[in-house]
Amino acid sequence: MISAPPHPPLDRPGPRIGVLGSYGGFNIGDESILTCVLGCLRAQRPGARLVVFSRNAEHTRAHHPGADEVVDWEGVSRHRVMDALASLDLLVLGGGGLLFDGEARRYLRLVRAAQERGIRTFAYALGAGPLREADDREAVRTVLADFDDVVVRDEESRLVLEEVGVERDITVTADPALLLTSEPFTDGMMRHEGVPTDSRLVGMSVREPGRAAEKLDEADYHALLADVADFLVRRLDAHVVFLPMERHDVRHAHAVLSHMTAPDKGRILHGSYSPGQVLGFMRHLDLAVGMRLHFVIFAALSGLPVLPLPYSGKVFDFASRIGAPALVGVAREQAGLLLAEVDRLWDEYPQRRTDLQARMRELTVLARETCARCGVLLDEVDGGSDAAARARAEPRPLGV
């Protein structure tokens, strides 16, 4: 990740930059994105005041010291949120998957309020889709048209936005979490989790169906992953460790364990860890198989042979970009094909490693490009800060 200089004194002049996303400890992937976005902004503007709009301000304050101010934006007075928005010079939306049915309109309502106050807006490596609901499609189509710059993290998201009717330049880069810095996951932490340090280890990720994966059949993919886990236990003489990337993942990991013929060879991480520590845990693994996007990203960052189990376009897209084998969906009838892919992945990885490393370097460069584009907009913000301050001093109807 871009290194962040020490915080400047609070009275040091600098732009006020808001960061809005699905933050607050609900998902390790989202928290890793916030870590990297804050690092980027601090590197671009050491004197900036960084204001995070969080779904759980207490969690964000405790886990992201890079934020100078944290504002709850759910379940609180609308006027309080609007007051915080009105003080900004720039509002950054993202990154990550925010533009999907049922959620897009909520985030974009706040963005529109900022735009109507004359505040510049930047879409930071967003993910989009599915977008089928009329209200969300309309919000995306109209609000994104007025962003100063729109950057998405994958080609799938660009295609979704174009299908919705967004008519503007859209830049495709890569997920912000590709810039995350690894933190140590010690042998003591391994012992505390009951994970052996003298055995091959396979990491697995399983998720709930949810709105992002509505077509998943629980019993189907639980049994499929159990087949894979049992195969790897036998094939590699390995232990299988489930990494919950979201709290709901724990229940589904237990369900997979219950289907395994060798459940004694399975473990679930139960501790609360930072994104950097989860990335650090990957260094202990020999192979990774999983569903969640950021689990796959972390595995690829760690140089592991990784088999994505795509349940949505974003996972397909990333699998393609790293040259990983990717099946079409996650279904029980694919068990034989999946086991063959895992077997081949293990055997062929020494030949694939160099290609993966080269692809990851390219993606890291793209992730840095998002930060650079945000810096260009900040140069414009700095140049017009006096005019923006005057505009904010004049009350305007928010229209939302």
Side-chain angles (χ1 to χ4, degrees):
M1 188 189 74
I2 299 168
S3 59
H7 286 313
L10 293 183
D11 60 351
R12 188 171 172 180
R16 290 178 60 88
I17 306 172
V19 182
L20 170 64
S22 185
Y23 307 130
F26 301 95
N27 179 284
I28 289 173
D30 291 325
E31 296 304 301
S32 67
I33 288 172
L34 179 57
T35 298
C36 295
V37 171
L38 291 175
C40 161
L41 295 174
R42 188 64 70 193
Q44 289 285 347
R45 290 296 185 278
R49 184 163 183 83
L50 305 182
V51 182
V52 176
F53 292 82
S54 173
R55 296 169 63 191
N56 184 333
E58 183 178 353
H59 181 279
T60 301
R61 290 189 193 100
H63 293 85
H64 293 278
D68 298 302
E69 184 179 339
V70 183
V71 178
D72 273 308
W73 68 276
E74 288 188 319
V76 297
S77 165
R78 180 172 178 272
H79 293 293
R80 181 179 174 185
V81 178
M82 293 303 125
D83 286 344
L85 277 176
S87 71
L88 300 177
D89 296 292
L90 171 68
L91 177 62
V92 173
L93 177 65
L98 304 179
L99 304 183
F100 61 93
D101 289 323
E103 289 291 298
R105 74 193 83 163
R106 298 175 62 247
Y107 291 107
L108 294 177
R109 190 175 296 122
L110 293 182
V111 174
R112 176 57 86 194
Q115 291 172 340
E116 291 183 349
R117 286 271 182 168
I119 296 161
R120 310 295 287 273
T121 50
F122 181 81
Y124 200 113
L126 291 177
L131 281 169
R132 294 184 290 267
E133 296 183 14
D135 288 346
D136 290 295
R137 291 170 67 89
E138 176 65 17
V140 167
R141 186 165 46 248
T142 57
V143 180
L144 262 65
D146 291 333
F147 270 78
D148 291 273
D149 196 4
V150 173
V151 180
V152 296
R153 67 182 176 186
D154 51 49
E155 188 67 22
E156 172 77 12
S157 296
R158 184 185 68 81
L159 293 174
V160 168
L161 295 182
E162 289 181 349
E163 189 278 328
V164 165
V166 176
E167 296 181 350
R168 58 159 303 141
D169 290 338
I170 299 171
T171 300
V172 179
T173 58
D175 195 283
L178 287 157
L179 302 179
L180 187 67
T181 298
S182 175
E183 299 172 21
F185 199 100
T186 65
D187 286 348
M189 296 161 75
M190 297 281 283
R191 287 191 295 271
H192 180 74
E193 289 283 2
V195 178
T197 57
D198 57 353
S199 171
R200 282 180 176 159
L201 298 176
V202 174
M204 294 194 75
S205 165
V206 56
R207 61 158 294 150
E208 90 289 352
R211 281 181 293 184
E214 298 169 337
K215 297 180 181 179
L216 286 177
D217 179 273
E218 284 192 20
D220 208 34
Y221 74 87
H222 289 166
L224 175 67
L225 288 177
D227 283 348
V228 175
D230 283 327
F231 173 79
L232 289 168
V233 167
R234 297 190 304 270
R235 172 73 166 82
L236 305 182
D237 189 23
H239 282 71
V240 176
V241 185
F242 294 88
L243 278 71
M245 302 294 284
E246 197 170 281
R247 62 179 180 269
H248 299 299
D249 295 354
V250 175
R251 179 175 72 84
H252 295 276
H254 278 292
V256 174
L257 272 174
S258 72
H259 283 80
M260 289 177 61
T261 59
D264 57 307
K265 296 288 189 176
R267 298 286 187 276
I268 302 171
L269 289 191
H270 287 288
S272 177
Y273 301 107
S274 71
Q277 288 171 326
V278 176
L279 179 57
F281 177 79
M282 293 283 183
R283 310 292 183 183
H284 294 276
L285 301 178
D286 297 282
L287 184 142
V289 179
M291 300 174 68
R292 286 219 179 256
L293 173 63
H294 286 92
F295 170 88
V296 176
I297 289 175
F298 287 6
L301 280 173
S302 303
L304 290 174
V306 56
L307 181 67
L309 300 178
Y311 64 88
S312 69
K314 63 184 180 182
V315 185
F316 277 111
D317 190 282
F318 188 75
S320 175
R321 294 175 92 174
I322 64 173
L327 302 182
V328 181
V330 184
R332 185 70 175 86
E333 60 268 18
Q334 293 180 307
L337 177 59
L338 180 54
L339 297 183
E341 285 286 3
V342 173
D343 199 36
R344 184 167 60 185
L345 177 66
W346 177 255
D347 288 337
E348 296 180 357
Y349 187 67
Q351 291 77 45
R352 294 185 178 186
R353 181 183 290 112
T354 300
D355 180 61
L356 173 63
Q357 291 170 342
R359 289 169 180 264
M360 291 302 291
R361 284 193 295 270
E362 293 173 2
L363 288 173
T364 299
V365 169
L366 287 172
R368 291 198 179 99
E369 181 183 336
T370 313
C371 184
R373 293 183 72 92
C374 191
V376 170
L377 180 55
L378 279 167
D379 290 341
E380 297 178 15
V381 169
D382 290 343
S385 58
D386 291 341
R390 288 193 298 272
R392 286 199 302 272
E394 300 176 8
R396 298 176 61 184
L398 296 179
V400 293

